[in-house]
């Protein structure tokens, strides 16, 4: 058997890091060798007590040379604008990088700056970054050194929509994505509006017209289909720990039937181990909880098709998809460690 892929996690004290560790510690072809954060010295099991007895690595300060020596790939689990400070050094040191932040997702640095209100400081690597949606871009991911892991809402919208837009069976200018997310989507450090008394028993739409996943959804569909789309994206927060459910309103085009649209999905995702097309009981966050599955279904209603999709934001929406990307980039079986 070949030697395991050695993994470093930067930003090891956050939620996506914890989720990566939960899966990577069971992955048969991987060894976690470096955990790094701005608060070094503590063992990881003091930060995440559930890891006691499972991994005893200390947390180290970030050092790209040490990571290059000890690891083959680094997962960046840090906020946007921080990832692009770490990635250039790691790439220059010869490593591969899977970035869970948004820093390398939008190809146009101007669009990034407009939505994220930060100057993009690593345009050189942005050019080579591959958008890490394995179900659509596995060939590019296999050759990539820098993978931009997609957002959670965006994965839940792009995967059902892209094949239908590409096939011309829905109107690309009349798409409404209503999506509701659990609170872990906001990360581990609560802001006042993510505090328990604010969120408990509260279901709320937010960031209407300003959410940063809106341009990423349009960009991901364009990359997958070659078509520029018009999307109205309305995110909601729902008092659950984790999970996203998207209800997507579209208009069928060209006389296509739902059955033919389902066949387009089946053909596009024939090789995808984690996409489940539902035709009976519809998608629910419950059915994908703690799994890497994305479930999706289409319903015909009056003159519209209503598409419903669901995933776990911490798994297919973050850590699980990042592991899919690693598996593909290192020539491992696509679903290794994720079942
Ligand atoms: N949560 C989700 O569902 C989800 C889904 C998809 C993508 N993402 C993306 O994944 C990344 C990590 O998300 P998360 O949910 O794990 O967030 P998180 O729980 O807030 O953790 C982020 C970690 O990054 C470190 N950090 C914070 N500010 C930093 C800075 N300025 N420079 C360097 N490190 C910093 C912190 O660790 P220290 O303070 O110990 O250094 C923190 O523990 C984010 O970019 C997020 O947008 C999250």
């Amino acid at each position: 058997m070949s030697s395991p892929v050695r993994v470093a996690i930067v930003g090891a004290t956050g939620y996506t890091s914890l989720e990566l560790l939960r899966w990577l510690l069971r992955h048969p072809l991987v060894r976690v060798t470096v955990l790094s954060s701005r608060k070094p010295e503590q063992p990881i099991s003091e930060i995440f007590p559930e890891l006691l007895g499972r991994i005893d690595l200390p947390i180290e300060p970030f050092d790209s040379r040490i990571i290059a020596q000890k690891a083959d790939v680094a997962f960046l689990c840090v906020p946007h604008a921080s990832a692009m400070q770490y990635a250039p050094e790691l790439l220059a040191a010869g490593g591969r990088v899977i970035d869970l932040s948004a820093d390398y997702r939008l190809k146009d640095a101007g669009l990034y700056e407009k939505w994220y209100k930060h100057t993009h400081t690593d345009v050189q690597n942005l050019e080579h970054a591959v958008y890490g949606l394995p179900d659509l871009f596995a060939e590019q991911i296999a050759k990539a050194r820098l993978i931009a892991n997609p957002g959670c809402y965006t994965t839940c919208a792009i995967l059902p929509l892209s094949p239908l837009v590409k096939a011309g069976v829905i109107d690309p200018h009349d798409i409404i994505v209503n999506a509701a997310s659990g609170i872990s989507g906001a990360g581990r450090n609560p802001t006042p509006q993510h505090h328990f008394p604010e969120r408990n028993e509260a279901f709320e739409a937010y960031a209407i017209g300003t959410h940063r996943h809106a341009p990423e959804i349009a960009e991901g569909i364009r990359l997958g289909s070659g078509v520029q789309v018009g999307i109205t994206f309305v995110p909601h927060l729902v008092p659950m720990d984790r999970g996203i459910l998207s209800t997507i309103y579209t208009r069928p085009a060209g006389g296509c039937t739902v059955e033919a649209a389902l066949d387009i999905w089946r053909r596009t995702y024939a090789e995808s181990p984690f996409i489940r097309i539902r035709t009976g009981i519809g998608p629910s966050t419950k059915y994908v909880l703690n799994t890497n599955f994305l479930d999706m279904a289409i319903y015909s209603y009056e003159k519209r098709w209503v598409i419903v999709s669901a995933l776990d934001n911490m798994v297919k929406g973050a850590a699980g998809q990042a592991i899919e990307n690693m598996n593909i980039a290192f020539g491992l079986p696509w679903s290794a460690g994720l079942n």
Side-chain angles (χ1 to χ4, degrees):
M1 198 176 99
S2 56
S3 39
V5 175
R6 298 166 310 152
V7 166
I9 299 178
V10 178
T13 59
Y15 276 164
T16 54
S17 162
L18 173 61
E19 193 65 26
L20 274 171
L21 286 167
R22 283 179 178 142
W23 292 92
L24 290 173
L25 293 175
R26 294 192 306 243
H27 194 303
L29 305 169
V30 160
R31 191 154 52 87
V32 179
T33 53
V34 184
L35 298 175
S36 150
S37 121
R38 296 174 305 170
K39 297 178 200 124
E41 309 294 324
Q42 257 181 311
I44 190 75
S45 58
E46 279 182 17
I47 293 160
F48 297 124
E50 71 175 78
L51 297 177
L52 184 66
R54 299 189 63 205
I55 180 168
D56 58 4
L57 282 181
I59 295 182
E60 307 175 30
F62 177 80
D63 185 327
S64 57
R65 283 165 313 163
I66 289 180
I67 292 179
Q69 279 163 18
K70 291 190 186 172
D72 304 303
V73 60
F75 290 94
L76 299 184
C77 297
V78 296
H80 66 269
S82 307
M84 63 186 165
Q85 292 168 13
Y86 296 121
E89 276 189 49
L90 292 164
L91 293 166
R96 288 202 219 188
V97 172
I98 300 176
D99 176 23
L100 281 83
S101 89
D103 281 352
Y104 297 95
R105 293 181 195 157
L106 298 173
K107 276 287 168 208
D108 176 351
L111 194 63
Y112 174 89
E113 289 170 10
K114 178 178 160 204
W115 284 85
Y116 286 86
K117 315 284 182 227
H118 276 280
T119 304
H120 203 295
T121 54
D122 188 24
V123 176
Q124 201 184 343
N125 284 314
L126 182 59
E127 275 176 35
H128 309 295
V130 168
Y131 192 61
L133 258 187
D135 305 288
L136 293 176
F137 309 120
E139 264 177 50
Q140 295 96 308
I141 291 164
K143 295 180 230 146
R145 290 193 55 224
L146 171 57
I147 296 170
N149 211 60
C152 44
Y153 281 126
T154 56
T155 298
C156 204
I158 295 167
L159 289 175
L161 286 168
S162 175
L164 304 183
V165 170
K166 185 175 183 183
V169 299
I170 56 173
D171 179 346
H173 304 295
D174 186 359
I175 300 173
I176 298 166
V177 180
N178 265 343
S181 172
I183 315 301
S184 60
R188 191 165 184 237
N189 292 324
T191 58
Q193 88 256 29
H194 297 110
H195 196 42
F196 181 81
E198 307 292 330
R199 293 276 52 93
N200 186 37
E201 303 289 346
F203 178 39
E204 184 178 320
Y206 71 105
I208 298 169
T210 58
H211 198 285
R212 290 153 168 170
H213 284 183
E216 190 187 326
I217 294 172
E219 169 111 339
I221 294 173
R222 188 186 59 73
L223 282 175
S225 68
V227 178
Q228 196 71 47
V229 291
I231 300 265
T232 302
F233 170 55
V234 184
H236 299 68
L237 281 180
V238 63
M240 310 186 295
D241 289 350
R242 46 206 281 163
I244 291 180
L245 186 94
S246 301
T247 310
I248 304 173
Y249 303 86
T250 65
R251 239 173 234 288
C256 185
T257 61
V258 166
E259 200 40 54
L262 291 171
D263 277 341
I264 292 167
W265 277 355
R266 287 186 190 110
R267 280 197 301 277
T268 307
Y269 298 126
E271 307 297 324
S272 292
F274 299 110
I275 292 190
R276 299 191 298 197
I277 297 161
R278 287 191 171 271
T279 52
I281 296 169
S284 161
T285 55
K286 210 54 154 187
Y287 309 142
V288 292
L289 186 64
N290 296 315
T291 79
N292 196 46
F293 287 114
L294 180 144
D295 284 3
M296 52 200 205
I298 307 181
Y299 304 88
S300 179
Y301 179 38
E302 301 284 339
K303 292 190 172 149
R304 287 200 176 270
W305 283 350
V306 179
I307 297 169
V308 181
S309 56
L311 53 70
D312 186 322
N313 59 295
M314 300 306 302
V315 196
K316 183 65 175 171
Q321 187 145 260
I323 294 171
E324 288 183 68
N325 281 317
M326 177 197 68
N327 287 342
I328 292 169
F330 284 87
L332 308 181
W334 183 340
S335 55
L338 287 167
N339 289 311

